[in-house]
Amino acid sequence: MSQSTASRLIREARAYSGLRQAELARRAAIPRSVLNAYERGRRQPSAAALARIVDAAGLRLRLGRAVRILDDERAARLFGQVLDLAEQLPTRRRGSLKNPAFRGRVRAAR
């Protein structure tokens, strides 16, 4: 997580809670000067510290796998490249399919 993301998250959590820095720091059990440094992006909080701060603001921080959003234009460009490569593959003509004769092989069920 970049410093700007963490600091923005802390600022938004504090604004949502309506708490002053000193009160949020007290509830999160960290010095106010450290919270100030986190908010201003001068220090990077650990994941545990960030979760504690957000929790003290009355919110929950959940970590999970990021969902990658597919860019339609990029996907179309890549698909076009795959098709171009497929057309360049060498091919050989095959004869028609020859199925085995079933006459004489099929027995009547009793």
Side-chain angles (χ1 to χ4, degrees):
M1 181 178 303
S2 70
Q3 286 186 350
S4 61
T5 303
S7 62
R8 188 178 72 238
L9 181 62
I10 293 170
R11 282 193 309 269
E12 288 177 7
R14 192 165 68 82
Y16 175 82
S17 68
L19 298 173
R20 294 180 181 232
Q21 261 188 1
E23 180 60 20
L24 181 59
R26 187 187 66 73
R27 290 182 182 192
I30 60 172
R32 190 202 58 77
S33 60
V34 172
L35 180 64
N36 185 296
Y38 290 160
E39 273 195 31
R40 294 179 183 268
R42 291 192 311 248
R43 286 183 65 178
Q44 177 72 22
S46 66
L50 185 59
R52 207 167 56 242
I53 293 166
V54 171
D55 187 50
L59 302 169
R60 290 278 184 253
L61 179 65
R62 291 189 309 159
L63 300 177
R65 291 195 165 177
V67 177
R68 186 173 176 197
I69 299 172
L70 184 63
D71 178 18
D72 291 338
E73 290 178 15
R74 182 172 182 263
R77 190 172 54 251
L78 290 173
F79 184 63
Q81 291 173 354
V82 168
L83 291 177
D84 290 341
L85 287 172
E87 288 177 358
Q88 294 176 12
L89 290 173
T91 59
R92 60 183 162 123
R93 296 189 61 84
R94 296 182 183 198
S96 62
L97 293 176
K98 297 184 180 180
N99 294 327
F102 287 108
R103 194 174 292 167
R105 291 187 179 183
V106 179
R107 295 182 187 174
R110 293 183 187 197

